[in-house]
Amino acid sequence: MSLPCHLAFDVHEASQVGEARRAAVRLAESLGFDEVAAGRVALVATELGTNLVRHAERGQLLLAPVTADDGDAWVELLSLDHGPGIADLPACMRDGYSTGGTPGNGLGAVRRLADEFDMYSEVPAGTVILARVARHAGAARPAPAFSVGAVALAAPGETVSGDAWGLVQDGEQAALLVADGLGHGPEAGTAAEAAVAAFGSGPFEAPSRVLERVHQALRSTRGAAVALVHVDAGQKSLIHCGAGNIAGRLISGVEDRSLVSQHGTAGLQIRRLQDLRYDWPEHTLIVLHSDGITTRWNLDNSKGLLQRHPALVAAWLMRDQRRGRDDATVVVLKRGSPR
């Protein structure tokens, strides 16, 4: 599974809702959505955007294509704001509660139109909402062994992110890699994408061997910080290997543990690589992020967030912890279904 850099739209007036809606429809059409499916995307973008204009502080709408290993595709829409939060989530899902008079009648319509939907809110901290609209609505899909969510934003002034990530699932196993090319812009993006490509040629080898292959593949690039994790849904441990400043954390309601990477830069110079095994208790989330996100964050006051879709966790961290000077990527992985 992969997800490119998100498009970000500040939304605090009606004209910006239209801009985000048109971008969402263009994205849907580029993924082969038919007129009906693209119309669903347009309605979801309109409802989320209008909700931000009417009720939120410092609202933003993020858009990205999501492509699965089997070739299926979704348009992902993430709504982020900084308050005032929603005290009564069930009430806000009733038609007309949040955007009465708009074509879909509010967040209840977003939930009906989306193939995946989840939301999380705190008063007064704010709200994050996820809606994914599939190219083929209602298609039967097996329950996944893992669920993943990610948010990736390019550095200010850039249209290409210097970060990249990839996830490969095979039954009960998954391999996840996050790469941050040195600097930002197209050359950094080339290095990061080369890391993902090298990872994809044999993702389930020992992480240290994968990272060594990535190291060799990046020799002709400016290099990248890289971290990867191997997991098995039936096991209570994971294997991690990293070089450089990709941060890794294991987060649950009772645990917050860092994953240790070695110094160095793939493609330039790295020390002897080592696979490290960590306990991975049930319900513990794996978080990997680039250095565009601050490292001293915690979710102690947002423990309910950990039970939501991983994309909401990634969006919450991006909203609050982005440094704002560089590319930023957050990937969150957990066992089982998204909820």
Side-chain angles (χ1 to χ4, degrees):
M1 180 178 183
S2 64
L3 181 153
C5 180
H6 283 78
L7 299 174
F9 297 86
D10 292 330
V11 179
H12 52 80
E13 60 181 43
S15 63
Q16 294 167 319
V17 177
E19 180 185 5
R21 181 187 66 248
R22 290 187 291 273
V25 170
R26 288 194 298 270
L27 178 57
E29 291 172 345
S30 74
L31 294 170
F33 281 50
D34 62 22
E35 184 176 353
V36 173
R40 292 168 59 222
V41 172
L43 278 173
V44 169
T46 298
E47 293 301 331
L48 291 177
T50 303
N51 187 67
L52 289 172
V53 170
R54 294 192 175 189
H55 302 292
E57 299 172 6
R58 295 159 57 198
Q60 193 172 53
L61 195 62
L62 307 183
L63 310 174
V66 180
T67 305
D69 294 338
D70 63 4
D72 205 355
W74 296 263
V75 171
E76 177 175 282
L77 303 96
L78 284 164
S79 171
L80 290 63
D81 67 60
H82 289 80
I86 301 171
D88 189 343
L89 287 176
C92 84
M93 300 307 301
R94 292 197 296 266
D95 288 348
Y97 178 85
S98 62
T99 60
T102 59
N105 294 316
L107 294 180
V110 174
R111 181 171 59 182
R112 291 192 300 272
L113 290 162
D115 295 274
E116 284 190 72
F117 175 88
D118 201 6
M119 64 187 299
Y120 176 77
S121 189
E122 289 182 12
V123 178
T127 303
V128 288
I129 303 171
L130 165 71
R132 287 179 178 171
V133 180
R135 181 167 54 198
H136 302 112
R141 299 182 180 91
F146 307 93
S147 57
V148 65
V151 179
L153 294 175
E158 297 286 356
T159 58
V160 176
S161 175
D163 297 345
W165 68 277
L167 173 72
V168 179
Q169 298 190 58
D170 184 6
E172 296 286 295
Q173 296 185 78
L176 169 66
L177 175 140
V178 175
D180 178 1
L182 291 186
H184 51 80
E187 290 189 23
T190 296
E193 291 292 347
V196 173
F199 159 74
S201 67
F204 294 108
E205 297 177 27
S208 58
R209 293 184 61 184
V210 177
L211 189 47
E212 177 60 37
R213 185 170 65 248
V214 169
H215 177 51
Q216 298 304 322
L218 268 58
R219 289 289 193 185
S220 61
T221 73
R222 62 171 55 179
V226 181
L228 59 148
V229 172
H230 282 188
V231 293
D232 186 312
Q235 299 296 318
K236 295 184 178 180
S237 63
L238 59 84
I239 303 172
H240 170 266
C241 186
N245 56 0
I246 300 295
R249 301 266 287 274
L250 300 176
I251 302 291
S252 72
V254 296
E255 179 183 38
D256 185 343
R257 185 177 184 184
S258 294
L259 305 178
V260 178
S261 287
Q262 299 181 31
H263 294 294
T265 303
L268 298 181
Q269 183 176 13
I270 53 177
R271 299 178 179 179
R272 185 175 179 272
L273 295 167
Q274 184 178 6
D275 293 323
L276 299 176
R277 187 175 292 274
Y278 295 84
D279 290 340
W280 185 36
E282 198 77 17
H283 309 302
T284 298
L285 276 62
I286 302 167
V287 181
L288 296 181
H289 65 78
S290 66
D291 67 352
I293 301 295
T294 62
T295 56
R296 297 194 176 189
W297 53 266
N298 69 71
L299 298 175
D300 292 346
N301 296 322
S302 307
K303 286 187 167 60
L305 177 63
L306 302 179
Q307 282 72 58
R308 313 314 301 176
H309 194 291
L312 295 183
V313 181
W316 193 267
L317 290 172
M318 182 66 73
R319 188 198 68 168
D320 292 346
Q321 305 299 331
R322 187 185 181 196
R323 297 183 192 275
R325 304 185 301 272
D326 198 358
D327 309 303
T329 297
V330 186
V331 186
V332 181
L333 180 72
K334 74 173 185 177
R335 290 181 177 90
S337 61
R339 292 281 300 280

